Amino acid sequence: MIKILRILGKRGRITIPFEIRQRVGFKYNDVLSFTETADGRSVVVRREKICDNCRQNHSSLKENEVTLLDFLNNLSPEQQRAALVHLSVKWAERQGGELNV
């Protein structure tokens, strides 16, 4: 196992090193989950499968290779609009402003 060090930025951001992303198979738009271990000193990062029918449109994808874009494209137009409104409201709340919908 190779040990690679990174510095956590002031906004809590960190880049997963390219070598690790490549070896593990993380790709652009993958949905990742973070789970704290029992000792509270480590975090397990996993690529998540977020819908069952996303692979129907991409039979060449391996299991667990569903991107956020795949997920969104498989929503109906009404569901896409609802997701956009929901995310816009959440974003506005975090910015401390109001959103007129």
Side-chain angles (χ1 to χ4, degrees):
M1 175 175 15
I2 299 172
K3 187 176 197 175
I4 301 174
L5 303 175
R6 291 290 189 260
I7 297 172
L8 184 64
K10 64 182 175 182
R11 293 186 179 178
R13 296 179 183 170
I14 193 164
T15 300
I16 300 171
F18 174 77
E19 298 87 356
I20 293 175
R21 291 192 321 260
Q22 189 175 33
R23 208 171 318 132
V24 175
F26 290 166
K27 293 182 179 65
Y28 177 74
N29 274 340
D30 278 350
V31 175
L32 305 177
S33 67
F34 300 84
T35 307
E36 184 179 358
T37 59
D39 65 7
R41 295 183 44 83
S42 301
V43 175
V44 176
V45 180
R46 288 191 173 95
R47 182 179 49 232
E48 295 293 337
K49 179 179 170 184
I50 55 176
C51 78
D52 291 330
N53 63 352
C54 295
R55 288 191 323 123
Q56 292 173 356
N57 297 331
H58 302 285
S59 58
S60 63
L61 289 176
K62 297 177 187 170
E63 189 170 343
N64 292 331
E65 287 193 65
V66 176
T67 67
L68 180 57
L69 186 59
D70 292 330
F71 173 74
L72 293 173
N73 284 336
N74 280 295
L75 296 176
S76 70
E78 296 81 23
Q79 290 171 320
Q80 289 177 354
R81 183 179 186 288
L84 175 62
V85 169
H86 175 76
L87 292 172
S88 298
V89 169
K90 289 294 185 186
W91 180 83
E93 288 172 352
R94 287 189 178 182
Q95 299 302 312
E98 294 182 11
L99 182 67
N100 296 324
V101 183

